[in-house]
Amino acid sequence: MPEYFTTQSSFHVALIMDGNGRWATGRGLPRLAGHRRGADSVRRVIEASPGLGITDLTVYAFSSDNWKRPEAEVRGLMTLLSQYLRREVANCVRNGVRLSAIGRRDRLAPELLALIEDAETRTAPCNRVHVRIALDYSSRDALLHAAETCASNGQWSRSAFSAALPAPDVDLLVRTAGEKRLSDFLLWECAYAEFLFVEKTWPEFTGADLAAAVTEFRSRTRRFGALPAA
Ligand code: IPE
Ligand code: IPE
Ligand code: MG
C-alpha cells in the first residue's frame, strides 16, 4: 500500500478548474462547450480521488465574482450544474461520494437549490470522499461569515474559526490553465497548502493528471515553519 494511505488520515485537495473558455475558443467553439467538457473532467477527478487517498476534494465551480460574466454564460453554467446533479447523484451514492455545496445559497435559482439539497441529503451517509462544490463562493465572504459566527458564540480560537468555515485546511491546491492566483478561493484554508499550477486547461485534465499532482505533492517536504525531520 502506498505510504500516503497510512501516514495521513485526511487529505484535502482543492482544484481551481480554470481554462474552460480558452479550451473552447481555441477550437472555435462557444465558451459553453468548454464548460460542458469541464463537467466531464469533474466526473473523472471525483472517480480517481478515493484511489489516490483523497478524503476531501473541493472544486471551484463558480465564484461570487463570476456573476460579472455575460448573463447567457451564467445561465449556461447554472444549467450545466443542474444537469450534472441530476445525472450524477445516483453514481455518487453508489460510489460512496458525499456531495456538498459551499458558498452563498440565497442567489441561486430555487430549482438548483432544491437539487443541491437533494444531493446533500442523499449522499450524506457516503464516506469514501467528501466533494465540496464551491458555488457562488467567495473566500472573503466566508471569512466574514466565520467572524460573525465566532462573535456570536464569543469564541475566537483558531480552531473555532476554522470550524466556522465550510472546508478543512487544504493540503494540495491545483490550478489549471497556467494562471497563478487564488481568485478568492480558500484563503485561510490554504495557509500551509502546497501549490501546483499546471498548463493544461480544465477540460484536458484527467484522473492521471490528478495522480501526477498527488505524486508531486508527496515529493515535497512540508515544514509548517519547523525544520524538516532529520
Ligand atoms: C473556469 O473556466 C470555469 C469558471 C470560471 C466558471 P473559465 O470560464 O474561467 O475559462 P477561461 O479562464 O476564460 O479560459
Ligand atoms: C476562478 O476562475 C473561478 C473558478 C474557477 C470557478 P476565474 O477565471 O473566474 O478567475 P480570474 O478571473 O481569472 O481570476
Ligand atoms: Mg478563468
Side-chain angles (χ1 to χ4, degrees), residues 17-22 31 35 61 66 69 73 77:
M17 315 185 289
D18 199 15
N20 293 351
R22 276 164 281 172
R31 290 177 57 85
H35 295 314
N66 288 147
R69 295 190 179 195
E73 178 165 346
L77 279 164

Side-chain angles (χ1 to χ4, degrees), residues 26-100:
R27 287 163 178 75
L29 298 168
R31 290 177 57 85
L32 210 59
H35 295 314
R36 205 169 291 123
R37 289 293 283 261
D40 297 333
S41 300
V42 174
R43 194 175 304 118
R44 290 197 296 263
V45 298
I46 292 177
E47 271 171 24
S49 288
L52 296 169
I54 295 169
T55 58
D56 295 87
L57 181 75
T58 304
V59 294
Y60 207 1
F62 190 87
S63 78
S64 294
D65 286 318
N66 288 147
W67 293 111
K68 296 172 192 166
R69 295 190 179 195
E71 203 200 314
E73 178 165 346
V74 170
R75 212 178 322 115
L77 279 164
M78 295 298 164
T79 302
L80 277 174
L81 273 159
S82 297
Q83 286 171 352
Y84 186 87
L85 291 171
R86 274 203 194 88
R87 283 200 203 117
E88 289 301 315
V89 173
N91 272 340
C92 289
V93 171
R94 237 190 329 273
N95 297 326
V97 177
R98 179 178 172 195
L99 284 181
S100 318

